[in-house]
């Protein structure tokens, strides 16, 4: 899932300082599951913002709505009827959600209430860890299902480096050395030979460096002029 | 855990010229002639002051066959290693420029290597680089376009196949660089370290310089494995030594530096030499520590010389370049041989 966390109340307050009436829009997908931008968080944040403004001797109207998926136009179309009655929209979606709203309602000011952090999963209750950077060229079949792009601090492809100690990365005592894990996993699978192969430089052209990436599936596209 | 160890096959790359015909540098010629090599290290200044390099060069004169120049070591900005290397050359000392993958992508690295050759530099040490969070620009974006293993292969291919990493021909030939790599025998998983060393040989490393070695029993075990795997037949293994400067430094390195192994006995020795000196007598304590640090380093260098598979020592002063000469002298590696 996409994992996000809420910005500080102060930062959100500052974004909204000129607004009198705000629509807070939650998202029912990833950010609901990671407790950052679902119906509950929209409620709590909206109340906090109203109270904060009151403390400042002013008032702020915050209406609340949570859509199933902020990142698809059909789910946000329903907001079109009255979105223009607001001074701003506060999105509790991920960065994709914020931009979907901005694209759909270009006249509106859309503010992000969350920092979108990474693609990951909950490793334990209340802890989420990154597992994928979307590099666009997956090598998990070579590394025992453990991703060195997202989990090695130096993105090594031929690790481990000299800073691995007792299974921990030198950069952060809470971070496992990805290459220790890869080494153990491949060892247990009897595939340690694979680690003697010098993995050549990665083709990063599928990664982040060429502007925004697209996938086009001709088999799923509709003929010209046809509506989905 | 039950880990199966791989079979190691170290085929001689058909492209690799014989030792002595790769770079033309002094370090390679020393090794090719069968001499025990001595390398040192120069940390460039956090300024544009060339005189710092010249002063350090004078301290190393006649003590080493070549000297490493660190590349923004510990992720702290310093004078560039290639620029400092060019100054070192003017002073008559052969540089080994360190090149990290942290600050440059494959374009920048290759461009710099062409420039390094043009300036007369003939050795490069290929490193991943300390993480930027350790240094003075922790908010910097790291690069890591390629890793140290891929860098080794790239430099070797530039030299031996005259190609850029993309496969395009380097008109007029690639840079003639003697390819170095680093090894830390004490990092985890420790059982894997000799294999990682073998992998660097497979990638094309001509020589290895290790991190600081203090834990002799662990190092002997590592070297035995490296020799058994045949790695020391394929590359020149240069072992890193350096003087402890105080008992505090010894404790810090033992307890806090990842991948560093310092036996308690050495910490006790460093503590012992100042036991009779009042804490207020700072200079006397410093001198006692430094003398003992040099003494330990000499003992270890002598011990390392006798270990099978060792082709040389790399003496790291770590901002104490004055220590390199007495250590080299005590280790019995002076004078350095004259070589064609």
């Amino acid at each position: 899932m996409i994992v996000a966390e809420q910005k500080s109340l102060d930062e959100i307050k500052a974004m909204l300082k000129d607004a009198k009436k705000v629509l807070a829009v939650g998202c029912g997908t990833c950010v609901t599951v990671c407790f950052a931008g679902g119906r509950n968080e929209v409620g709590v944040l909206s109340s906090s913002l109203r109270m904060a403004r009151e403390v400042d001797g002013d008032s702020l109207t915050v209406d609340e709505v949570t859509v199933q998926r902020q990142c698809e136009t059909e789910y946000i179309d329903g907001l079109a009827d009255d979105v223009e009655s607001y001074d701003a929209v506060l999105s509790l979606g991920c960065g994709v959600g914020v931009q979907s709203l901005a694209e759909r309602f270009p006249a509106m000011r859309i503010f992000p209430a969350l920092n979108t952090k990474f693609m990951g999963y909950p490793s334990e209750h209340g802890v989420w860890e990154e597992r994928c950077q979307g590099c666009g060229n997956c090598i998990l079949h070579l590394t025992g299902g453990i991703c060195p792009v997202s989990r090695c601090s130096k993105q090594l492809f031929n690790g481990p480096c000299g800073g691995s100690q007792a299974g921990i990365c030198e950069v952060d005592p809470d971070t496992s050395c990805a290459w220790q894990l890869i080494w153990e996993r491949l060892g247990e699978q009897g595939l340690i030979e694979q680690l003697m192969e010098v993995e050549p430089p990665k083709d990063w052209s599928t990664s982040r460096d060429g502007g925004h990436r697209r996938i086009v599936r001709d088999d799923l596209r509709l003929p010209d002029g046809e509506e989905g | 855990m039950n880990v199966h160890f791989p079979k190691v096959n170290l085929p001689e790359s058909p492209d690799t010229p014989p030792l002595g015909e790769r770079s033309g540098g002094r370090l390679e010629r020393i090794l090719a002639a069968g001499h025990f090599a001595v390398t040192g290290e120069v940390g460039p200044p956090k300024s544009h002051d060339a005189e710092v390099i010249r002063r350090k060069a004078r301290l190393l004169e006649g003590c080493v066959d070549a000297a490493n120049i660190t590349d923004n070591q510990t992720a702290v900005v310093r004078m560039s290693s290639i620029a400092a290397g060019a100054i070192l050359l003017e002073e008559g000392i052969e540089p080994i420029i360190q090149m990290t993958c942290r600050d440059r992508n494959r374009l920048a690295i290759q461009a710099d290597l062409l420039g390094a050759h043009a300036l007369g530099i003939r050795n490069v040490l290929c490193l991943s680089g300390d993480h930027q969070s350790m240094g003075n620009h922790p908010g910097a974006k790291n690069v890591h376009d390629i890793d140290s293993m891929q860098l080794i292969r790239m430099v070797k291919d530039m030299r031996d196949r005259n190609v850029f990493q993309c496969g395009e021909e380097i008109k007029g030939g690639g840079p003639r660089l003697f390819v170095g790599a680093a090894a830390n025998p004490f990092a985890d998983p420790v059982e894997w370290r000799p294999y990682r060393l073998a992998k660097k040989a497979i990638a094309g490393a001509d020589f290895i310089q290790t991190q600081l070695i203090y834990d002799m029993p662990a190092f002997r075990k590592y070297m035995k494995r490296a020799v058994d795997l045949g790695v020391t037949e394929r590359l020149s293994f240069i072992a890193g030594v350096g003087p402890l400067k105080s008992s505090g430094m010894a404790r810090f390195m033992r307890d806090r530096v990842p991948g560093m192994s310092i036996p308690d006995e050495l910490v006790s020795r460093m503590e012992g030499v100042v036991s009779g000196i009042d804490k207020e007598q700072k200079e006397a304590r410093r001198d006692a520590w430094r003398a003992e640090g040099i003494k330990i380093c000499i003992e270890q260098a002598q011990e390392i010389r006798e270990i099978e598979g060792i082709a040389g020592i790399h003496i790291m002063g770590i901002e104490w370049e004055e220590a390199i000469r007495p250590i080299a002298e005590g280790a019995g590696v002076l004078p350095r041989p004259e070589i064609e």
Side-chain angles (χ1 to χ4, degrees), chain B residues 23-78:
Chain B
S23 68
R26 174 179 166 88
L27 177 63
E28 184 189 352
R29 283 180 284 123
I30 285 277
L31 291 163
H35 295 299
F36 189 81
V38 180
T39 56
E41 191 157 295
V42 170
K46 287 167 77 176
S47 72
H48 55 65
D49 187 356
E51 190 48 42
V52 176
I53 302 290
R54 296 190 201 285
R55 185 180 59 76
K56 290 183 175 186
R58 287 193 288 274
L59 294 170
L60 298 187
E61 211 177 347
C63 299
V64 297
D65 302 309
N68 290 42
I69 315 235
T70 50
D71 178 17
N72 285 346
Q73 80 182 102
T74 63
V76 171
V77 175
R78 289 167 184 280

Side-chain angles (χ1 to χ4, degrees), chain A residues 154 157-158 160-162 164-166 171 180 183-184 187-188 192-193 195-197 199-202 204 208, chain B residues 1 4 6-7 106 129 131 133 141 144-145 147 149-150 165 184 187-189 192-193 195-196 199 258-259:
Chain A
K154 299 179 185 174
F157 287 84
N158 293 281
C161 81
S164 172
Q165 196 151 45
V171 173
Q180 169 86 30
W183 177 75
E184 286 174 10
E188 281 158 6
I192 206 82
E193 236 90 25
L195 288 187
M196 292 306 290
E197 291 293 323
E199 185 61 25
K202 185 177 174 66
W204 292 104
R208 60 181 162 74
Chain B
M1 194 188 54
H4 306 275
K7 283 185 206 71
R106 63 191 83 176
H131 196 264
S133 61
K141 187 171 190 289
H144 298 300
D145 173 27
D147 66 20
M149 204 71 76
Q150 295 160 347
Q165 190 276 326
N184 183 352
D188 284 320
W192 185 249
R193 292 294 152 181
Y195 294 89
R196 181 163 169 75
K199 194 168 167 178

Side-chain angles (χ1 to χ4, degrees), chain B residues 18 22 44 47 53 60 85 129 147 154 215 220 240 266 272 301 315 321:
Chain B
R22 297 173 197 172
S47 72
I53 302 290
L60 298 187
D147 66 20
M154 185 172 84
D215 184 343
R220 283 179 180 283
L266 292 185
I315 308 172
E321 284 84 359

Side-chain angles (χ1 to χ4, degrees), chain A residues 5 28 40 57 67 96 108 144 151 171 193 199:
Chain A
E5 66 182 355
N40 289 344
V67 298
V96 186
M108 286 302 295
R151 298 183 67 184
V171 173
E193 236 90 25
E199 185 61 25

Side-chain angles (χ1 to χ4, degrees), chain B residues 251-294:
Chain B
R251 279 193 301 271
F252 179 81
M253 287 168 88
R254 180 190 62 188
D255 301 333
R256 306 288 294 279
V257 179
M260 180 71 73
S261 176
I262 303 203
D264 292 336
E265 178 217 330
L266 292 185
V267 178
S268 305
R269 269 182 71 176
M270 291 301 285
E271 286 168 345
V273 291
V274 292
S275 63
I277 307 174
D278 192 272
K279 277 218 159 98
E280 290 309 304
Q281 289 182 277
K282 293 203 169 108
E283 231 164 83
R285 287 167 69 87
R286 196 197 64 185
D287 291 348
W289 271 325
R290 293 198 160 194
E292 187 68 5
I294 287 179

